[in-house]
Amino acid sequence: MPQLLPTEGVSANQDQPGSIASYLAEALNGSGVSICHIDNDRQHGPIDAKCVVRRAASECDRPDRLLLVTDSDIRVPPLRYLFGYADRRRGIAVVSTARLRVPDDPARTRARLLNVATHELGHLNGLSHCASPRCVMMQVSAPEQLDSRPLTTCAGGGRHFARLRQAISTIAVLLVLAIAIVGIESVTSFWEGAGPDFPFL
């Protein structure tokens, strides 16, 4: 089972585990987020992001948001791997360095990780995905795309997609209600049957 390690006391030496979490703690200082490194030495294969988030929520007593950092792959079935995952309700996000690393360019690795962390913190702040390439909330599928994705949000900042999704959800609920009402009326009229034209007294 992965072990959560607070960034306090984690070495700043880039060759030691947890140093990337220390870098994020420094880069995100003042953002109101706590950072923990996930030690996954005992487990092979990807970490289930949802399980780790649930465990962190049960183990950590914290007043603010929490960002978990791991060197292992993370996944949320059916997706095989993710750069990051955020649970807005619990206020916890997890990011992975597994597919972000550039062995001969540690600065690019750190920049990619900061980009992913900023994206996931955006989700914790209520932002949804954005289609604009000038927005950190744009979805990406390859590490190279992180090199050009900015750290800032666009004018919509992902909120216009949240509003659109809310509008679509509202319309869907109304449509389901309308179909249900029509269905109930049809069933009722079927059971009642046709009444006589001239009722007999």
Side-chain angles (χ1 to χ4, degrees):
M1 194 68 161
Q3 180 183 4
L4 303 181
L5 302 173
T7 54
E8 290 78 18
V10 175
S11 172
N13 183 339
Q14 294 181 9
D15 297 326
Q16 293 186 11
S19 63
I20 207 83
S22 297
Y23 161 74
L24 271 184
E26 185 177 338
L28 297 172
N29 187 28
S31 63
V33 62
S34 298
I35 300 175
C36 282
H37 179 257
I38 302 174
D39 180 10
N40 197 39
D41 289 343
R42 298 180 210 137
Q43 178 177 327
H44 299 290
I47 295 172
D48 186 311
K50 288 186 176 181
C51 288
V52 168
V53 166
R54 281 195 299 268
R55 180 178 171 204
S58 67
E59 289 184 2
C60 301
D61 181 24
R62 53 178 176 54
D64 54 2
R65 296 161 301 162
L66 178 64
L67 179 65
L68 307 174
V69 184
T70 180
D71 299 323
S72 300
D73 262 327
I74 58 173
R75 67 186 300 259
V76 173
L79 300 174
R80 289 182 301 162
Y81 72 88
L82 299 166
F83 299 138
Y85 169 78
D87 186 321
R88 190 179 302 171
R89 183 174 62 85
R90 291 185 171 94
I92 300 174
V94 55
V95 295
S96 167
T97 66
R99 297 178 185 262
L100 306 181
R101 292 189 178 277
V102 184
D104 56 344
D105 193 347
R108 184 183 293 183
T109 300
R110 291 194 298 271
R112 287 177 175 180
L113 182 62
L114 179 59
N115 193 291
V116 172
T118 303
H119 177 95
E120 300 307 331
L121 290 177
H123 285 313
L124 294 187
N125 288 332
L127 299 182
S128 297
H129 287 134
C130 179
S132 172
R134 297 185 305 277
C135 185
V136 72
M137 298 312 295
M138 179 186 76
Q139 283 183 292
V140 297
S141 56
E144 295 76 22
Q145 293 174 289
L146 296 168
D147 298 334
S148 59
R149 188 171 71 175
L151 286 174
T152 56
T153 58
C154 64
R159 287 190 171 87
H160 56 286
F161 275 93
R163 287 194 297 269
L164 178 63
R165 190 165 54 190
Q166 185 177 12
I168 291 172
S169 297
T170 302
I171 291 169
V173 168
L174 292 174
L175 187 60
V176 168
L177 285 174
I179 291 171
I181 290 169
V182 169
I184 290 170
E185 287 180 358
S186 297
V187 170
T188 304
S189 64
F190 173 77
W191 284 109
E192 288 177 354
D197 290 336
F198 301 98
F200 298 98
L201 297 175

